[in-house]
Amino acid sequence: MIRSLVQFLTALQVVAAVALLACAATVYVSPASWPLASVVTMGFPFFLLAALVIGGLALIFTPRRVWITLVALLLCIGSIRNFAPINIPRTPAPDDWHVMTWNMGGTQWNDSTLERLRQYLTQQRLDILVVQEISSPNADELAQLLHSQMPYSRFYGDSQWYGHTIVSRWPVIDYEKITQNGANRAILYRLQSPLADTLFVISCHLQSMHLDAEVRSGYSAIVHRQETDPDSVEHTSHTLLAHIMDNGALRAFQADTVASFLNSHADRPLIIAGDLNDTPVSYTRQRIFEAAPLYDCWRSAGNGLGRSFNRDAIYVRIDHIFCGKSHFSPKRCVMDTTRISDHYPLHCWLVTEK
């Protein structure tokens, strides 16, 4: 009996360890080449939890073999820190740059919203605000709200799709499109900042999953065990997987384009912020992060999971901030749970390397 238990727990440890390692390694596989890669990397938190639970049981019943789990966790420590880092909180100094990114696509714009935004944003003492999924009229309203603190702004978009806007303490020299597929874009803003070189701020809203209300509500019902009909569960699951794979391939092309741009401008002061529509353990994040010497601000100065999308039981951090190592270092990174949009605003305080 005891021998069978030992063998069973050992087998479970091996399976969980291999699955966890596979998820961590798949961030180097482009979903454009293998669409299933987008699905595999999304399994990372589940296999991490499984490895921890099975490892805990092994520690109790088969302590001599718990090394299997420990080795897997050690080999995946980088991915674990990407997913849910632990850092000692530091208090920002008055001269640290305060950068915030916010996807406002889920915002209901009215007088009440504008008043809430005014009260919230004017208290933040921001230096740079980068916003995705916002219309031109709403971008104008936002710029007016913040004009006394941040007098410079620039909107990029068109009449058909929501766009991007930046509001800044420093002049916006110009902007250009790096990549675009409909409303999914990466936009470069050049700023005249206190730094010697022109500051490059890239606002990202990469290819979304395009999950309609039916799929999202169906997924939420499955997670909360409100939907148990096998046919409905199967239909929702197949539809969800198809969306993940199809849009993951498109997002991989966009990530490659952004990475190529970063590689060509690695010596510039860089801030990359926005909604990557992908998790911290993904090809998209890894491709952009490795394109230039960058800090992942949440990994370096944030804590925990940092959920940024706040609807439909989707517990993920898809909003990110990166900064160039040669000009900045992140001191503090916080996901504010102020709920005005379907995304939470992500804050980061940067120390400038002068």
Side-chain angles (χ1 to χ4, degrees), residues 45 48 82-85 280 298 303-308 315-317 335:
L48 175 60
N82 292 343
F83 181 72
W298 188 264
N303 278 288
L305 300 178
R307 180 191 187 192
S308 66
Y315 292 86
V316 293
R317 174 163 50 88
M335 195 73 68

Side-chain angles (χ1 to χ4, degrees), residues 128-257:
I128 297 173
L129 169 63
V130 182
V131 178
Q132 304 83 41
E133 290 201 280
I134 187 170
S135 68
S136 179
N138 293 149
D140 290 341
E141 292 174 319
L142 192 65
Q144 291 173 14
L145 287 178
L146 297 171
H147 187 268
S148 61
Q149 294 182 9
M150 306 162 71
Y152 305 100
S153 64
R154 191 67 67 91
F155 172 81
Y156 180 93
D158 51 51
S159 59
Q160 185 177 7
W161 306 104
Y162 278 163
H164 297 232
T165 195
I166 187 170
V167 188
S168 169
R169 192 175 298 278
W170 305 294
V172 182
I173 302 170
D174 60 15
Y175 61 88
E176 67 177 87
K177 175 182 66 180
I178 297 175
T179 183
Q180 179 172 356
N181 178 30
N184 306 289
R185 313 178 178 96
I187 306 301
L188 167 67
Y189 293 97
R190 295 182 179 89
L191 273 62
Q192 180 184 326
S193 73
L195 301 174
D197 294 329
T198 301
L199 173 64
F200 282 21
V201 179
I202 299 175
S203 174
C204 294
H205 180 263
L206 301 189
Q207 189 71 29
S208 68
M209 295 298 180
H210 290 297
L211 303 180
D212 57 30
E214 180 184 356
V215 174
R216 284 163 47 177
S217 62
Y219 170 78
S220 179
I222 293 171
V223 171
H224 292 113
R225 299 183 181 180
Q226 297 168 346
E227 178 61 77
T228 57
D229 178 67
D231 291 337
S232 296
V233 171
E234 183 180 2
H235 173 73
T236 299
S237 300
H238 280 300
T239 304
L240 183 62
L241 290 175
H243 278 285
I244 291 172
M245 290 190 291
D246 292 345
N247 291 292
L250 293 172
R251 190 164 50 251
F253 283 117
Q254 294 174 340
D256 290 341
T257 304

Side-chain angles (χ1 to χ4, degrees), residues 311-325:
R311 305 284 170 86
D312 303 311
I314 301 176
Y315 292 86
V316 293
R317 174 163 50 88
I318 55 179
D319 297 87
H320 306 256
I321 298 178
F322 305 89
C323 62
K325 286 186 175 182

Side-chain angles (χ1 to χ4, degrees), residues 55-77:
L57 293 174
L59 184 62
I60 297 171
F61 297 104
T62 62
R64 291 184 179 180
R65 298 190 180 183
V66 75
W67 64 267
I68 298 172
T69 297
L70 293 177
V71 168
L73 293 175
L74 183 62
L75 291 174
C76 292
I77 193 64

